[in-house]
C-alpha cells in the first residue's frame, strides 16, 4: 500500500472520526480538500471554528442554537402546548423540513442504552419532566428512533408521564425499524407525525 504524506495521513485520520466516514470516503474528502484553493479550505476551517465558538445548546429545548433561547422556543406563532421529544438536534432539522409540525421540541441528547452505560441521568429526561410541570403542555409526541433504544426510551418517558394528566403519543410506524429519523425523507416523516397514536 502506497503511503501518502504525513500531513495527508493526519487529515485522513481526522476525517475518519466523522460519523459514517470510512477510510475510502476520508481519502476522497482529503484529496478533494487538497485540490481546492487555500481560500476555500480557509473558508471551511473558519466555518468549523465559528460553529464551535458560537453554537451552543438552547437552555429550554436543548437543540442547537447561536441565540439562547433558540428561535423555535421564542417563536410566538408555534403551539406551546405540544412538545415533540426527539433524541438528537439533527432530528429537529428533519421534522422542520416537513413543515407539518408547529409545536416545540425537546432534545434528549441520546437514548437509553444500558449496554452502553447510558441511563436516564445521561439524557435530558429530568429536564423534560420539569418542563412539563412548569409549562402548560397538552401533548407530548414521542419521536425517538424506531429501534430498540428509541422504543425503550419512549416507553420509559411514557411511564414517567402517566401520573401527570397529559396526552402522550408516539409517532406512527411510517419509519423503517432500525433506522434514524434524520435519514428519513420529508414525506415519510410527515406521515409518521400525522399518524401518531396515543401511548
Amino acid at each position: 500500500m502506497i503511503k501518502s504524506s504525513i500531513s495527508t495521513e493526519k487529515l485522513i485520520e481526522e476525517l475518519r472520526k466523522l460519523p459514517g466516514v470510512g477510510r475510502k470516503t476520508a481519502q476522497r474528502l482529503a484529496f478533494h480538500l487538497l485540490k481546492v484553493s487555500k481560500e476555500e479550505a480557509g473558508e471551511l476551517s473558519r466555518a468549523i471554528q465559528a460553529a464551535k465558538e458560537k453554537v451552543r445548546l438552547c437552555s429550554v429545548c436543548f437543540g442547537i442554537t447561536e441565540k439562547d433561547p433558540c428561535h423555535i422556543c421564542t417563536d410566538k406563532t408555534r403551539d406551546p402546548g405540544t412538545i415533540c421529544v426527539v433524541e438528537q438536534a439533527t432530528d429537529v432539522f428533519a421534522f422542520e423540513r416537513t413543515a407539518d409540525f408547529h409545536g416545540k421540541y425537546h432534545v434528549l441528547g441520546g437514548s437509553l442504552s444500558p449496554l452502553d452505560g447510558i441511563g436516564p441521568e445521561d439524557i435530558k429526561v429530568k429536564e423534560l419532566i420539569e418542563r412539563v410541570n412548569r409549562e402548560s403542555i397538552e401533548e407530548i409526541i414521542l419521536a425517538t428512533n424506531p429501534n430498540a433504544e428509541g422504543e425503550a426510551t419512549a416507553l420509559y418517558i411514557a411511564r414517567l408521564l402517566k401520573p401527570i394528566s397529559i396526552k402522550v403519543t408516539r409517532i406512527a410506524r411510517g419509519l423503517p425499524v432500525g433506522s434514524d429519523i434524520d435519514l428519513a425523507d420529508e414525506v415519510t416523516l410527515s406521515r409518521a407525525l400525522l399518524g401518531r397514536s396515543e401511548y
Side-chain angles (χ1 to χ4, degrees), residues 8 10 18 59 63 71 90 95 100 103 105 108-109 114 118 126 128 132-133 137 143 148 156 162 164 171 173 182 192:
T8 307
K10 175 68 176 158
L18 296 170
S59 60
H71 72 283
T90 51
F95 276 110
D100 281 329
Y105 294 93
L108 295 170
I118 302 170
K126 180 177 73 98
L128 174 64
V132 167
N133 288 324
I137 308 299
Y156 177 76
K162 198 162 181 79
I164 306 168
I171 55 172
R173 301 288 188 246
D182 65 329

Side-chain angles (χ1 to χ4, degrees), residues 179-194:
S179 71
D180 289 338
I181 283 176
D182 65 329
L183 301 177
D185 64 275
E186 291 87 349
V187 176
T188 302
L189 268 179
S190 289
R191 288 180 181 157
L193 190 60
L194 296 171

Side-chain angles (χ1 to χ4, degrees), residues 8-26:
T8 307
E9 279 301 315
K10 175 68 176 158
L11 179 58
I12 291 166
E13 286 310 306
E14 290 304 313
L15 290 168
R16 280 186 70 189
K17 294 176 183 176
L18 296 170
V21 176
R23 174 103 185 143
K24 284 189 176 185
T25 302

Side-chain angles (χ1 to χ4, degrees), residues 11 31 48 66 71 90 94 124 131 146 170 182 185:
L11 179 58
F31 287 113
I48 293 169
E66 285 188 29
H71 72 283
T90 51
K124 305 291 185 196
R131 194 170 167 193
R170 179 82 168 112
D182 65 329
D185 64 275

Side-chain angles (χ1 to χ4, degrees), residues 82-115:
T82 307
I83 294 179
C84 183
V85 178
V86 295
E87 290 181 25
Q88 304 293 345
T90 51
D91 301 334
V92 172
F93 292 106
F95 276 110
E96 285 298 288
R97 281 196 318 263
T98 72
D100 281 329
F101 181 67
H102 307 289
K104 305 218 174 174
Y105 294 93
H106 186 87
V107 180
L108 295 170
S111 58
L112 297 177
S113 181
L115 293 176

Side-chain angles (χ1 to χ4, degrees), residues 45-59:
S45 175
R46 285 187 290 279
I48 293 169
Q49 193 63 43
K52 289 299 292 177
E53 288 171 5
K54 295 177 184 174
V55 175
R56 57 183 171 273
L57 295 183
C58 172
S59 60

Side-chain angles (χ1 to χ4, degrees), residues 123-140:
I123 58 177
K124 305 291 185 196
V125 175
K126 180 177 73 98
E127 291 83 351
L128 174 64
I129 302 305
E130 288 170 359
R131 194 170 167 193
V132 167
N133 288 324
R134 185 176 66 240
E135 299 174 23
S136 299
I137 308 299
E138 295 163 15
E139 181 184 7
I140 293 288

